[in-house]
PDB file of all heavy atoms in Angstrom:
ATOM      1  N   GLN K 816      -1.875  -4.527  19.400  1.00  0.00           N
ATOM      2  CA  GLN K 816      -0.736  -5.221  19.972  1.00  0.00           C
ATOM      3  C   GLN K 816       0.545  -4.866  19.224  1.00  0.00           C
ATOM      4  O   GLN K 816       1.579  -4.540  19.816  1.00  0.00           O
ATOM      5  CB  GLN K 816      -0.935  -6.737  19.899  1.00  0.00           C
ATOM      6  CG  GLN K 816      -1.978  -7.302  20.855  1.00  0.00           C
ATOM      7  CD  GLN K 816      -2.197  -8.784  20.585  1.00  0.00           C
ATOM      8  OE1 GLN K 816      -1.673  -9.349  19.623  1.00  0.00           O
ATOM      9  NE2 GLN K 816      -2.956  -9.419  21.462  1.00  0.00           N
ATOM     10  N   LYS K 817       0.480  -4.902  17.903  1.00  0.00           N
ATOM     11  CA  LYS K 817       1.654  -4.617  17.088  1.00  0.00           C
ATOM     12  C   LYS K 817       2.052  -3.150  17.192  1.00  0.00           C
ATOM     13  O   LYS K 817       3.223  -2.795  17.275  1.00  0.00           O
ATOM     14  CB  LYS K 817       1.387  -5.002  15.642  1.00  0.00           C
ATOM     15  CG  LYS K 817       1.248  -6.509  15.425  1.00  0.00           C
ATOM     16  CD  LYS K 817       0.928  -6.827  13.961  1.00  0.00           C
ATOM     17  CE  LYS K 817       0.749  -8.325  13.747  1.00  0.00           C
ATOM     18  NZ  LYS K 817       0.366  -8.641  12.356  1.00  0.00           N
ATOM     19  N   ALA K 818       1.053  -2.274  17.167  1.00  0.00           N
ATOM     20  CA  ALA K 818       1.336  -0.847  17.206  1.00  0.00           C
ATOM     21  C   ALA K 818       2.066  -0.443  18.485  1.00  0.00           C
ATOM     22  O   ALA K 818       2.999   0.376  18.454  1.00  0.00           O
ATOM     23  CB  ALA K 818       0.037  -0.045  17.070  1.00  0.00           C
ATOM     24  N   LEU K 819       1.654  -1.025  19.622  1.00  0.00           N
ATOM     25  CA  LEU K 819       2.222  -0.633  20.907  1.00  0.00           C
ATOM     26  C   LEU K 819       3.224  -1.625  21.460  1.00  0.00           C
ATOM     27  O   LEU K 819       3.626  -1.532  22.631  1.00  0.00           O
ATOM     28  CB  LEU K 819       1.091  -0.394  21.908  1.00  0.00           C
ATOM     29  CG  LEU K 819       0.213   0.836  21.631  1.00  0.00           C
ATOM     30  CD1 LEU K 819      -0.861   0.975  22.672  1.00  0.00           C
ATOM     31  CD2 LEU K 819       1.043   2.109  21.556  1.00  0.00           C
ATOM     32  N   GLY K 820       3.640  -2.578  20.646  1.00  0.00           N
ATOM     33  CA  GLY K 820       4.778  -3.412  20.996  1.00  0.00           C
ATOM     34  C   GLY K 820       4.542  -4.489  22.011  1.00  0.00           C
ATOM     35  O   GLY K 820       5.509  -5.028  22.558  1.00  0.00           O
ATOM     36  N   TYR K 821       3.281  -4.850  22.306  1.00  0.00           N
ATOM     37  CA  TYR K 821       3.076  -5.931  23.271  1.00  0.00           C
ATOM     38  C   TYR K 821       2.510  -7.192  22.629  1.00  0.00           C
ATOM     39  O   TYR K 821       1.981  -8.079  23.319  1.00  0.00           O
ATOM     40  CB  TYR K 821       2.185  -5.471  24.428  1.00  0.00           C
ATOM     41  CG  TYR K 821       0.776  -5.047  24.072  1.00  0.00           C
ATOM     42  CD1 TYR K 821      -0.264  -5.966  24.117  1.00  0.00           C
ATOM     43  CD2 TYR K 821       0.495  -3.733  23.713  1.00  0.00           C
ATOM     44  CE1 TYR K 821      -1.575  -5.580  23.811  1.00  0.00           C
ATOM     45  CE2 TYR K 821      -0.796  -3.343  23.386  1.00  0.00           C
ATOM     46  CZ  TYR K 821      -1.817  -4.277  23.439  1.00  0.00           C
ATOM     47  OH  TYR K 821      -3.107  -3.882  23.115  1.00  0.00           O
ATOM     48  N   ALA K 822       2.640  -7.290  21.305  1.00  0.00           N
ATOM     49  CA  ALA K 822       2.230  -8.538  20.631  1.00  0.00           C
ATOM     50  C   ALA K 822       3.178  -9.656  21.008  1.00  0.00           C
ATOM     51  O   ALA K 822       4.384  -9.431  21.175  1.00  0.00           O
ATOM     52  CB  ALA K 822       2.253  -8.336  19.109  1.00  0.00           C
ATOM     53  N   PRO K 823       2.680 -10.883  21.201  1.00  0.00           N
ATOM     54  CA  PRO K 823       3.556 -12.001  21.491  1.00  0.00           C
ATOM     55  C   PRO K 823       4.557 -12.222  20.351  1.00  0.00           C
ATOM     56  O   PRO K 823       4.224 -12.019  19.187  1.00  0.00           O
ATOM     57  CB  PRO K 823       2.621 -13.195  21.663  1.00  0.00           C
ATOM     58  CG  PRO K 823       1.369 -12.795  20.946  1.00  0.00           C
ATOM     59  CD  PRO K 823       1.269 -11.305  21.103  1.00  0.00           C
ATOM     60  N   ILE K 824       5.764 -12.651  20.701  1.00  0.00           N
ATOM     61  CA  ILE K 824       6.784 -12.868  19.673  1.00  0.00           C
ATOM     62  C   ILE K 824       6.318 -13.904  18.672  1.00  0.00           C
ATOM     63  O   ILE K 824       6.466 -13.736  17.455  1.00  0.00           O
ATOM     64  CB  ILE K 824       8.114 -13.300  20.335  1.00  0.00           C
ATOM     65  CG1 ILE K 824       8.652 -12.145  21.210  1.00  0.00           C
ATOM     66  CG2 ILE K 824       9.142 -13.682  19.273  1.00  0.00           C
ATOM     67  CD1 ILE K 824       9.886 -12.529  22.016  1.00  0.00           C
ATOM     68  N   THR K 825       5.727 -14.962  19.165  1.00  0.00           N
ATOM     69  CA  THR K 825       5.109 -15.963  18.309  1.00  0.00           C
ATOM     70  C   THR K 825       3.614 -15.742  18.306  1.00  0.00           C
ATOM     71  O   THR K 825       3.006 -15.797  19.382  1.00  0.00           O
ATOM     72  CB  THR K 825       5.431 -17.393  18.801  1.00  0.00           C
ATOM     73  OG1 THR K 825       6.857 -17.562  18.861  1.00  0.00           O
ATOM     74  CG2 THR K 825       4.827 -18.443  17.876  1.00  0.00           C
ATOM     75  N   PRO K 826       3.002 -15.468  17.158  1.00  0.00           N
ATOM     76  CA  PRO K 826       1.560 -15.191  17.147  1.00  0.00           C
ATOM     77  C   PRO K 826       0.763 -16.312  17.814  1.00  0.00           C
ATOM     78  O   PRO K 826       1.069 -17.499  17.649  1.00  0.00           O
ATOM     79  CB  PRO K 826       1.253 -15.093  15.652  1.00  0.00           C
ATOM     80  CG  PRO K 826       2.527 -14.673  15.012  1.00  0.00           C
ATOM     81  CD  PRO K 826       3.606 -15.354  15.817  1.00  0.00           C
ATOM     82  N   GLY K 827      -0.216 -15.920  18.598  1.00  0.00           N
ATOM     83  CA  GLY K 827      -1.104 -16.889  19.218  1.00  0.00           C
ATOM     84  C   GLY K 827      -0.588 -17.451  20.527  1.00  0.00           C
ATOM     85  O   GLY K 827      -1.183 -18.393  21.066  1.00  0.00           O
ATOM     86  N   THR K 828       0.494 -16.879  21.083  1.00  0.00           N
ATOM     87  CA  THR K 828       1.049 -17.394  22.331  1.00  0.00           C
ATOM     88  C   THR K 828       0.986 -16.359  23.440  1.00  0.00           C
ATOM     89  O   THR K 828       1.727 -16.445  24.420  1.00  0.00           O
ATOM     90  CB  THR K 828       2.510 -17.851  22.140  1.00  0.00           C
ATOM     91  OG1 THR K 828       3.301 -16.728  21.729  1.00  0.00           O
ATOM     92  CG2 THR K 828       2.588 -18.961  21.101  1.00  0.00           C
ATOM     93  N   GLY K 829       0.111 -15.362  23.306  1.00  0.00           N
ATOM     94  CA  GLY K 829       0.014 -14.321  24.322  1.00  0.00           C
ATOM     95  C   GLY K 829      -0.481 -14.863  25.666  1.00  0.00           C
ATOM     96  O   GLY K 829      -1.120 -15.923  25.736  1.00  0.00           O
TER      97      GLY K 829
END
Side-chain angles (χ1 to χ4, degrees):
Q816 288 175 352
K817 293 178 182 177
L819 292 180
Y821 63 93
I824 295 174
T825 303
T828 61

